[in-house]
Amino acid sequence: MMEAEDRKPRSDEARYDPEITSEFAIPAGIEVSEGGGEPETTSEFAVPEGLEAPQPPSAEPEGSAFTPPRTYGAKDGLSAFTPATGVPLVSLVKDAPWQDRMRTMLRMPVAERPAPEPVQREEEGGPAVPRVLDLTLRIGELLLAGGEGAEDVEAAMFAVCRSYGLDRCEPNVTFTLLSISHQPSLVEDPVTASRTVRRRGTDYTRLAAVFQLVDDLTDPETHVSLEEAYRRLAEIRRNRHPYPGWALTLASGLLAGAASVLVGGDLIVFVAAAVGAMLGDRLAWLCAGRGLPEFYQFTVAAMPPAAIGVAFALADVDVKASAVVTGGLFALLPGRALVAGVQDGLTGFYITAAARLLEVLYFFVGIVAGVLVVLYFGVKLGGKLNPDAALIINERPLIQIAASMLLSLTFAVLLQQERSTVLWVTLNGGVAWTVYGAMHYVGDISPVASTAVAAGLVGLFGQLLSRYRFASALPYTTAAIGPLLPGSATYFGLLNMAQNEVDKGLVSLANAASLAMAIAIGVNLGSEVFRLFLRVGPAGKRRAAKRTRGF
């Protein structure tokens, strides 16, 4: 016991006693901290003393979704290793419009998107994430409700988020629901917001104003704060329609009259079709004021033109009654919804495409029901309506071109377009009908092929005009396809069915469906051809002009 006590050191001198020969003894002259020999941290991942490990940039405190996003550039990003598969090469044309650039990035995975461009605005660390997402959803809602395609709506939403520094975001667009998710990094919680689109209205003036706002947000030389963007968006929503109600009713009448001239009508037919269309428009407004669904509005609006045509047939007046009914149908056919539905299907938005096409089907069934009821009673009362009149169309090139231009002009008024775009879309509609007439009547080419080529030129010129005026392509294409709509084929199919000739009626309706698909595919193909071969727009000129004007 005494020997054990003698071996235990009792003081500092005893700790450095040279007589102690244990291998754990600390040699003399080496200072040791009071904590003992080995440090407590024994992990092989411990950072050696004196070596400074690189630290990531200071981030905002986590845990709050309302924390402003970090404004950064590519040089401030975290260090990373090159993957074994290499870095994918991304080709982005800097001078291309923002629609093309945003669409290209949206088609890439989030991890493969290029580094964000230098942020053009710094507002005390940036705006709060939920406010940016809310602004994005409100802009997307106006675009989708105005009839814009799902792909263009997603591109606009992504452009708004990216302009405020939120590059890791994923927008999602369906027919009635908009959602967007932003995740700052792989280890942080995502922030998701959504918005339901319940009301839809056609106002291309408002649509053009929203496109101008998005274009200003994406311009690196234009500073638009979040508060300014909210203010401009509120003004866009409060703006009244450019045309009053009586002008819209008059435009629907003129549209029906012009359409009746296209299929061989004269002055009496023009007036009769115009009166029938205006009566149908007023009845549809009355039904809308009572809260009836759009299906019944289309059904009621289709009845007056058909009733006037049947009345001419019953009175045995030497008037082309079929042209009166056909003109009324032109004012009701949902051409833009059909084009948007096919466009969404071709670009991969199958849910939205199916919903749009189902909406078109319901509208078409409503029109069919209204016309069939009138035609059925007209046939029972002894009305002589001749389906073979479809084969007897007088070729009057100059009159038909003038009628097609009037149809496009009135269609543009019904779509509430800006007055500066009405002239361009009128000329585009005249060119479309000229190409169709030259191919079908002169070249004896099938109406489906002629319609597809004419619609392709409409889409091509529409994209050209929209790029050089920095606006949506809808105001330049939708009204221009009006003269190509299959109004006569639809009417004669319904007339055959009312006369109990179902086989002929189905053939005529199938022809109408083929023409409608040719219009939709032609417009989309013309737009894609423009994007493929004429990608570089006048973006550089626009920036130079801004610098010249001083803003």
Side-chain angles (χ1 to χ4, degrees), residues 290-367:
R290 298 290 181 177
L292 288 178
E294 287 184 297
F295 175 86
Y296 302 105
Q297 297 176 28
F298 275 83
T299 302
V300 172
M303 288 183 175
I308 293 179
V310 170
F312 280 144
L314 290 175
D316 199 15
V317 180
D318 188 16
V319 171
K320 208 168 187 179
S322 59
V324 177
V325 184
T326 300
L329 290 178
F330 264 87
L332 297 175
L333 291 178
R336 173 54 203 162
L338 175 66
V339 174
V342 175
Q343 180 181 358
D344 289 340
L346 294 176
T347 52
F349 295 86
Y350 301 113
I351 297 178
T352 307
R356 287 187 190 272
L357 293 178
L358 186 61
E359 181 188 39
V360 172
L361 178 62
Y362 272 107
F363 291 163
F364 187 75
V365 170
I367 297 171

Side-chain angles (χ1 to χ4, degrees), residues 182-224:
H182 168 67
Q183 188 173 14
S185 66
L186 295 177
V187 297
E188 296 184 61
D189 296 332
V191 182
T192 304
S194 61
R195 194 173 184 88
T196 303
V197 180
R198 302 188 184 277
R199 297 184 61 185
R200 301 178 184 275
T202 304
D203 188 343
Y204 283 179
T205 300
R206 180 178 296 175
L207 191 70
V210 176
F211 255 78
Q212 183 61 49
L213 174 59
V214 177
D215 186 61
D216 291 340
L217 288 173
T218 56
D219 191 351
E221 296 188 7
T222 304
H223 179 86
V224 181

Side-chain angles (χ1 to χ4, degrees), residues 49-75:
E49 186 177 347
L51 179 62
E52 296 182 359
Q55 300 294 328
S58 59
E60 53 271 53
E62 55 181 298
S64 173
F66 296 91
T67 304
R70 176 169 56 89
T71 56
Y72 60 94
K75 61 180 181 179

Side-chain angles (χ1 to χ4, degrees), residues 102 143 149 159 349 358 505 534:
M102 299 302 128
L143 293 176
F349 295 86
L358 186 61
L534 300 175

